[in-house]
């Protein structure tokens, strides 16, 4: 077998964590390609190296002295090197970083150095070959990721290497300028490498033992998810489940490679398997619950709306014109509601309302703010009667008013709208009826 293993920042925060990672990699000969993140927090009061780099570069960009904060970053890495008893120096790398900061090489370059330096240490520690993503992960001039070019270049390069460390999070533009993915982008790098080497498994190691049925900040000790499909994960990730960067799904999904989320601090745990499809029956009717606060609803009413061809298009055209994406559009015979992110909408609300009146000529428009959306997701819901009824009964029992209901024809998820202040209570009620009580 061939495994790609990605380790998050908390897994590589200090020398002790590095040793855990080294033991995990060496315990399985199949773990041949390693994707490290930058060092994360060592404790709750600590600062991630990536954030230290951003702050340091901000001083450089303002023309201020940044030597002291850069030396503090160097000390973080030296502590890891000393703790691992490595004969390695990063002096030349830091000299170059200092020069490039003075030249104002860009905040993408600055942020990427966290993974770059950690990759050098990891390769030295393991005795693996170091591959700089700037040479093999390609972005276009406009900053968009070039998946096909990257796959060809990376496949060719790694075909010649038995074991390698490829830092996460960044690549390069055609002119060699460093370009990063969005925060958490090391997950994406791991996925890209998995596709390029045609890995059997992509192991993503973090500080939790996989996905949980609900947010542990809301539910105390929630149940874990053993197996989840890409489609289910996509729904949960979009609605706030953040163990894995949502964009990291696509390269491995296209290649049919399963992802295994594992815990560096509890390597004996099986974690969560993310797969394309499965006959594995979920333990509960639902796979997971996730949600977000901060939505508003624009309720549009017009008599005989259902007979007017193009009414919905006219309304949504106004939102598009003002660069506002919509979340859900439940409708009735004479009503049409658009749910949007409140923060995106508030500054433009009057222009949007004026545009709707001009294009669609509704009888009335009213709005409701401070709403939350909750996604109840599960492949098991399709085969189980009365799932929606159980959700509604649980919410009614908790005296929670439902503001919106939306269910796709795939029956993979049910979206419920509630008031912001009812968000946590709603998740607790749904979790209780499906997991705790299993009524």
């Amino acid at each position: 077998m061939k495994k790609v293993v990605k380790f998050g920042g908390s897994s590589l925060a200090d020398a002790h964590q590095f040793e855990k990672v080294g033991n995990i990699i060496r315990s399985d000969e199949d773990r041949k390609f390693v994707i490290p993140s930058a060092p994360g927090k060592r404790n709750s009061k600590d600062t991630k190296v990536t954030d230290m780099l951003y702050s340091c570069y901000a001083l450089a960009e303002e023309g201020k002295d940044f030597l002291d904060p850069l030396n503090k970053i160097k000390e973080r890495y030296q502590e890891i090197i000393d703790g691992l008893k490595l004969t390695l120096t990063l002096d030349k790398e830091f000299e170059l970083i200092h020069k490039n900061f003075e030249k104002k090489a860009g905040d993408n370059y600055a942020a990427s150095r966290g993974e770059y330096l950690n990759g050098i240490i990891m390769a030295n520690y393991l005795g693996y070959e170091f591959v700089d993503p700037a040479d093999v992960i390609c972005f276009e001039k406009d900053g968009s990721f070039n998946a096909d070019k990257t796959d060809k270049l990376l496949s060719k390069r790694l075909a010649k290497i038995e074991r390698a460390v490829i830092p996460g999070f960044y690549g390069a533009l055609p002119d060699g300028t460093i370009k990063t993915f969005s925060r958490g982008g090391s997950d994406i790098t791991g996925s890209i490498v998995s596709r390029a080497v045609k890995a059997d498994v992509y192991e993503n190691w973090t500080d939790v033992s996989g996905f949980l049925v609900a947010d542990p900040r809301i539910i105390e000790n929630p149940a874990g998810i053993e197996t989840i499909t890409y489609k289910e994960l996509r729904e949960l990730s979009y609605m706030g489940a953040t163990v894995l960067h949502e964009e990291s799904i696509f390269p491995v999904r296209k290649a049919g490679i399963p992802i295994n989320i594992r815990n560096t601090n509890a390597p004996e745990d099986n974690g969560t398997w993310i797969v394309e499809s499965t006959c594995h029956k979920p333990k509960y009717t639902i796979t997971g619950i996730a949600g977000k606060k901060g939505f508003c609803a624009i309720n549009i009413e017009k008599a005989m709306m259902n007979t007017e061809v193009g009414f919905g298009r006219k309304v949504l055209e106004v939102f598009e014109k003002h660069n506002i994406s919509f979340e859900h559009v439940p409708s009735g015979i004479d009503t049409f509601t658009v749910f949007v992110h409140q923060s995106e909408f508030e500054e433009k609300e009057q222009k949007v309302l004026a545009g709707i009146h001009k294009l669609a000529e509704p009888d009335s428009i009213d709005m409701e703010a401070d709403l939350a959306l909750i996604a109840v997701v599960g492949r098991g819901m399709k085969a189980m009667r009365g799932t929606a009824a159980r959700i509604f009964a649980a919410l009614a029992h908790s005296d929670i008013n439902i503001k919106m209901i939306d269910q796709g024809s795939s029956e993979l998820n049910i979206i419920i709208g509630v008031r912001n202040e009812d968000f946590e209570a709603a998740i607790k009620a749904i979790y209780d009826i499906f997991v705790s009580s299993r009524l």
Side-chain angles (χ1 to χ4, degrees), residues 59-186:
L59 292 173
E61 204 163 39
E62 293 171 9
K64 297 179 180 178
D65 182 30
F66 60 90
L67 186 58
D68 282 347
L70 188 63
N71 281 336
K72 287 182 180 178
I73 296 168
K74 186 177 180 181
E75 287 170 10
R76 280 287 299 270
Y77 285 105
Q78 193 60 49
E79 283 180 11
I80 295 172
I81 291 169
D82 292 343
L84 297 174
K85 297 179 174 59
L86 299 177
T87 55
L88 173 68
T89 176
L90 296 177
D91 288 348
K92 289 184 179 180
E93 281 76 14
F94 273 95
E95 285 174 15
L96 182 59
I97 290 169
H98 188 276
K99 288 179 182 178
N100 286 331
F101 275 28
E102 286 184 324
K103 293 177 182 177
K104 297 179 173 55
D107 55 5
N108 275 233
Y109 169 80
S112 73
R113 297 305 86 183
E115 277 74 11
Y116 172 77
L117 295 168
N118 231 21
I120 292 173
I121 296 174
M122 178 63 76
N124 188 280
Y125 179 53
L126 295 173
Y128 285 19
E129 185 167 339
F130 176 82
V131 176
D132 191 343
D135 299 329
V136 289
I137 292 182
C138 310
F139 290 85
E140 296 292 349
K141 288 182 181 179
D142 63 1
S144 61
F145 173 59
N146 189 327
D148 290 337
K149 184 178 179 182
T150 296
D151 190 52
K152 290 175 184 175
L153 193 60
L154 194 54
S155 297
K156 185 177 180 180
R157 177 69 181 276
L158 296 181
K160 303 172 184 177
I161 303 171
E162 186 177 349
R163 299 179 185 278
V165 172
I166 309 100
F169 189 39
Y170 72 96
L173 299 170
D175 65 357
T177 301
I178 297 297
K179 177 75 175 72
T180 62
F181 293 106
S182 57
R183 285 299 288 264
S186 291

Side-chain angles (χ1 to χ4, degrees), residues 385-403:
R385 294 177 183 174
T387 301
R390 292 166 71 191
I391 293 171
F392 304 151
L395 296 178
H397 184 72
S398 298
D399 199 28
I400 295 169
N401 186 32
I402 298 173
K403 311 298 292 185

Side-chain angles (χ1 to χ4, degrees), residues 313-387:
R313 176 187 55 76
K314 292 174 186 175
V315 171
L316 296 179
E317 184 180 320
V318 178
F319 288 92
E320 182 182 0
K321 179 182 177 182
H322 292 283
N323 198 32
I324 299 171
S325 60
F326 67 90
E327 297 298 311
H328 295 276
V329 189
S331 63
I333 296 173
D334 295 326
T335 58
F336 188 91
T337 303
V338 183
F339 277 78
V340 296
H341 287 277
Q342 194 166 324
S343 59
E344 291 180 12
F345 179 71
E346 282 179 330
E347 291 183 5
K348 305 173 183 178
E349 66 171 28
Q350 295 307 315
K351 292 180 180 179
V352 172
L353 296 185
I356 294 172
H357 275 291
K358 182 179 179 181
L359 281 183
E361 300 178 343
D363 295 334
S364 65
I365 303 176
D366 68 81
M367 295 183 291
E368 187 168 5
D370 301 321
L371 299 175
L373 296 180
I374 299 169
V376 184
V377 178
R379 61 190 182 278
M381 297 195 302
K382 191 172 185 178
M384 187 66 65
R385 294 177 183 174
T387 301

Side-chain angles (χ1 to χ4, degrees), residues 145 188 191-192 195 247-257:
F145 173 59
I188 303 173
S191 187
I192 291 165
R195 181 188 174 194
E247 291 178 31
S248 67
I249 299 168
F250 300 111
V252 288
R253 180 177 183 176
K254 189 174 182 180
I257 299 167

Side-chain angles (χ1 to χ4, degrees), residues 7 11-12 16-28 122 125-126 128 264:
F7 291 89
S11 299
L12 299 169
H16 180 60
Q17 289 297 104
F18 251 83
E19 288 174 349
K20 288 182 184 178
V21 168
N23 290 335
I24 288 168
I25 294 168
R26 295 182 183 113
S27 70
D28 188 341
M122 178 63 76
Y125 179 53
L126 295 173
Y128 285 19
T264 303

Side-chain angles (χ1 to χ4, degrees), residues 195-206:
R195 181 188 174 194
V197 301
K198 296 180 173 58
D200 296 286
V201 179
Y202 169 27
E203 291 183 345
N204 192 298
W205 292 79
T206 180

Side-chain angles (χ1 to χ4, degrees), residues 209-242:
S209 296
F211 281 89
L212 302 172
V213 174
D215 190 334
R217 293 169 295 185
I218 299 173
I219 304 295
E220 188 176 353
N221 296 320
I225 300 173
E226 294 178 0
T227 305
I228 186 171
T229 65
Y230 289 126
K231 288 181 180 179
E232 290 173 305
L233 177 61
R234 178 81 174 117
E235 297 285 348
L236 291 172
S237 295
Y238 180 73
M239 290 302 288
T242 55

